[in-house]
Amino acid sequence: MISRYDLQCHGCGEAFVARLGVEPTRGTRFYLPCPHCQLPIRGSMAGTELQNHRVAIECEVLSGSAPEFPDVRVVTINPFVPSRYDADSFTPNGAFPTLTLVQALGDDAFLEFKSERDAALEAGRFMWPKVRMLFQYYLQGNTKMFARIAQQQFGLKWEPSTSHERTTVAYQAMGTATTVITGTTGTTSANVISRFSRKHSAAIKRHRDHLLTFRRRGQSSSTLERDVFTELNRFVEHHESWEMGLLGRFFGPRDKGTFDELVLYRDEFSMVRDLYQHGFELACKCLWPLVAAQNSVKRGNPDDFGNVHPDREPEKQRPKNLNKFDKLPNAYKIAYVAQVPGWESFESLLNNRRRNTIGHATAHHDLRTGRVVSDESTAGMTYLEFLSEVLGVFEALSTLAQVLRASRVASSPDFDSLA
């Protein structure tokens, strides 16, 4: 829905018309550029139903209407769909944000994007609250309520009576939701998880040290498990603010110029960056099962890294065991995982160079250009590129949650006789 506002810039004092796209939202901070002086004018909107939807704009809203200003300029923005800075109501490319995407992507790709986006938004609004309730009962150890929710809300036909069964059910429910929220275009989660599962299963059968390591580490990882769930929940609660990161996966390298011209008029950088940074750090704490499985399969011991090390890692920092691996800088942890065939995607999902740009103390969202910049990276990246990085961290963290599940299952008291 498009709402029209007759505004007066609080900087230059000139009048203009803002055509603002509105959608149901729990809370969105946005901005719009004055078409006369380009001053960013901030605003916010909230309301999950049209009848309670409210918009606040930090400038004067005129009581008169546009006809009193025959040469009035018009700016059209939608905080939920990217458009172009140079667009106005008479410009074909960008006049209507949705039309801009159709033109940029093409009809088929746009329909695929819209389908994935709609499914992700619906999963966040309707599926995730059930997952959250189930997982909270799992973390609390409330077996009675866990079984009830699993059966009533997820249609489970049997009662999960053992610890490892409850762990499996809880993580499967989480994985179903996060997979939909991540989308299917450009994702590598299924490949990573399947390759890990095969390696882990083979190592469990052949190497007792592998089983004992996963049991020991799984027993001490309940706090990490809670932290990962808490962070994933934060990501989903604020999904509206970063969900447009999905768009970047529908543009190829040849379309970068077109992608870079698009601007998303949202003003939520600080909050979303916090999600990104916390998610990045947590994901790196969950990388150890991957290298442990690789070490066991290749050398018979999860602590044996052999002579296979990333080229860029200094020799003196090469880990002798998993405990040493835990203490490595994140960039080297990621490099160890990414050198395994099939897991190269972590180098992209957890891009340490990008992380340094985004996490720099001076990093900020320049509302004049729509780019995230810092003193050390004046070129920076577009806000949409930033959101693509956020989606990458969400995908990495949700994937690694399923990897971490292996250690939690192995540490179940149901298997104490195997110790």
Side-chain angles (χ1 to χ4, degrees):
M1 182 177 121
I2 298 290
S3 294
R4 174 193 170 108
Y5 295 88
D6 300 304
L7 305 176
Q8 184 175 29
C9 176
H10 55 288
C12 67
E14 296 289 339
F16 66 97
V17 172
R19 301 174 72 248
L20 179 63
V22 298
E23 293 186 14
T25 175
R26 287 182 292 184
T28 294
R29 299 201 306 269
F30 66 90
Y31 68 99
L32 53 91
C34 169
H36 298 280
C37 68
Q38 298 302 304
L39 179 72
I41 300 172
R42 288 181 162 92
S44 62
M45 66 175 70
T48 55
E49 302 292 340
L50 289 179
Q51 57 266 30
N52 65 10
H53 202 281
R54 298 290 182 271
V55 175
I57 303 176
E58 296 180 356
C59 70
E60 185 177 354
V61 179
L62 301 174
S63 57
S65 58
E68 297 181 23
F69 308 97
D71 298 322
V72 71
R73 293 187 182 180
V74 179
V75 60
T76 303
I77 72 159
N78 184 334
F80 305 92
V81 183
S83 54
R84 293 163 48 109
Y85 256 115
D86 58 356
D88 60 38
S89 61
F90 303 104
T91 304
N93 293 325
F96 298 94
T98 301
L99 179 59
T100 302
L101 287 190
V102 174
Q103 293 171 331
L105 292 172
D107 291 341
D108 292 343
F110 173 76
L111 290 176
E112 291 178 14
F113 165 72
K114 185 177 184 304
S115 176
E116 289 194 28
R117 183 196 181 208
D118 290 347
L121 290 170
E122 185 168 336
R125 291 168 184 165
F126 302 109
M127 187 188 303
W128 185 259
K130 299 176 184 178
V131 172
R132 179 172 57 230
M133 184 164 48
L134 181 75
F135 215 91
Q136 285 173 331
Y137 283 132
Y138 162 72
L139 292 174
Q140 292 171 10
N142 190 331
T143 59
K144 180 179 179 181
M145 287 304 302
F146 180 89
R148 179 186 297 181
I149 297 303
Q151 292 171 333
Q152 292 180 353
Q153 300 294 333
F154 294 90
L156 200 67
K157 302 300 183 184
W158 51 279
E159 183 173 343
S161 58
T162 64
S163 175
H164 75 275
E165 287 174 342
R166 288 188 290 272
T167 300
T168 299
V169 170
Y171 276 89
Q172 284 178 341
M174 175 198 286
T176 298
T178 56
T179 296
V180 178
I181 293 170
T182 302
T184 58
T185 299
T187 59
T188 59
S189 299
N191 186 47
V192 170
I193 293 170
S194 65
R195 283 176 175 265
F196 167 75
S197 297
R198 290 196 298 271
K199 291 175 185 289
H200 177 62
S201 297
I204 283 283
K205 295 174 183 177
R206 300 173 189 170
H207 309 293
R208 185 170 176 77
D209 284 343
H210 184 85
L211 171 61
L212 295 178
T213 295
F214 270 68
R215 281 184 58 76
R216 183 180 68 254
R217 284 182 161 246
Q219 289 168 349
S220 63
S221 64
S222 58
T223 299
L224 179 59
E225 176 183 60
R226 185 180 298 273
D227 289 346
V228 169
F229 166 73
T230 299
E231 194 61 27
L232 286 174
N233 185 56
R234 288 183 65 226
F235 266 93
V236 180
E237 286 184 338
H238 297 289
H239 183 221
E240 288 181 14
S241 63
W242 57 268
E243 55 93 10
M244 196 50 68
L246 177 66
L247 182 63
R249 298 187 173 189
F250 288 81
F251 283 88
R254 295 181 179 179
D255 304 317
K256 180 170 172 52
T258 301
F259 183 62
D260 286 350
E261 290 178 351
L262 298 175
V263 179
L264 187 66
Y265 291 89
R266 298 186 78 100
D267 183 26
E268 298 157 330
F269 174 71
S270 296
M271 181 269 290
V272 179
R273 181 176 69 169
D274 186 59
L275 287 175
Y276 171 88
Q277 290 182 299
H278 282 275
F280 193 105
E281 294 298 321
L282 269 177
C284 291
K285 291 181 180 180
C286 300
L287 292 170
W288 71 263
L290 295 175
V291 295
Q294 179 71 2
N295 289 349
S296 293
V297 167
K298 292 297 183 181
R299 289 171 288 278
N301 190 313
D303 285 306
D304 188 352
F305 285 80
N307 295 317
V308 183
H309 304 280
D311 293 338
R312 65 175 178 267
E313 185 185 24
E315 186 173 351
K316 63 181 180 180
Q317 288 192 274
R318 293 174 178 175
K320 298 293 192 295
N321 51 52
L322 287 175
N323 290 335
K324 297 291 186 181
F325 174 83
D326 291 336
K327 297 176 182 178
L328 288 177
N330 288 336
Y332 296 148
K333 290 183 185 179
I334 296 165
Y336 269 101
V337 172
Q339 71 180 355
V340 179
W343 296 345
E344 301 92 344
S345 60
F346 280 100
E347 199 88 70
S348 175
L349 296 175
L350 300 173
N351 187 309
N352 201 64
R353 181 180 59 82
R354 292 276 199 168
R355 188 247 180 241
N356 292 338
T357 298
I358 296 167
H360 195 272
T362 62
H364 63 282
H365 184 195
D366 185 342
L367 301 186
R368 185 182 59 83
T369 63
R371 301 183 71 87
V372 175
V373 298
S374 70
D375 289 352
E376 291 193 358
S377 179
T378 54
M381 65 185 76
T382 69
Y383 195 71
L384 280 173
E385 287 180 302
F386 162 61
L387 295 187
S388 295
E389 296 295 318
V390 177
L391 173 60
V393 169
F394 177 79
E395 180 182 347
L397 186 61
S398 58
T399 300
L400 290 166
Q402 299 302 315
V403 170
L404 188 66
R405 175 177 79 171
S407 67
R408 297 299 292 158
V409 169
S411 68
S412 169
D414 305 329
F415 305 129
D416 283 346
S417 61
L418 300 177

